[in-house]
Amino acid sequence: SWSQTVKPTFPVIADPDFSISTAYKAERSAGTVLVGNNNLIVKANAGYSAGILKDLSTSLAQLSRQPEKGLTFTGAPTELTSGCPLKQ
């Protein structure tokens, strides 16, 4: 899995029963919600793009007080893209 490969220093939460996405009113996949140490939403994006992924990487590094990883986002769209609905 991504967590095993990257070994992030922040918690990664799976949401197989949609309870978290429902609580945050997330309707589509490929969206991101960055929750800070105080349990408040820092950033929310309704889709993803290379720029959003880069910004998210920078924000995660800052929040975790870790150096930013040299991630590349090859293959990520340049324009904001939204995924499919989480629930049918």
Side-chain angles (χ1 to χ4, degrees):
S1 77
W2 179 87
S3 295
Q4 292 170 333
T5 301
V6 175
K7 297 180 182 10
T9 59
F10 51 87
V12 175
I13 303 169
D15 189 22
D17 64 355
F18 302 105
S19 60
I20 297 169
S21 56
T22 299
Y24 285 104
K25 298 183 174 126
E27 297 176 358
R28 297 190 171 276
S29 65
T32 58
V33 177
L34 177 57
V35 180
N37 297 331
N38 57 2
N39 295 325
L40 297 176
I41 294 173
V42 175
K43 295 181 184 214
N45 298 294
Y48 80 108
S49 67
I52 286 175
L53 294 174
K54 171 67 174 138
D55 182 57
L56 184 60
S57 177
T58 300
S59 296
L60 287 169
Q62 290 170 346
L63 284 172
S64 63
R65 296 186 175 123
Q66 297 291 318
E68 190 171 350
K69 304 281 185 185
L71 302 176
T72 61
F73 305 105
T74 304
T78 56
E79 298 294 319
L80 180 64
T81 302
S82 184
C84 60
L86 290 171
K87 294 189 240 180
Q88 298 292 340

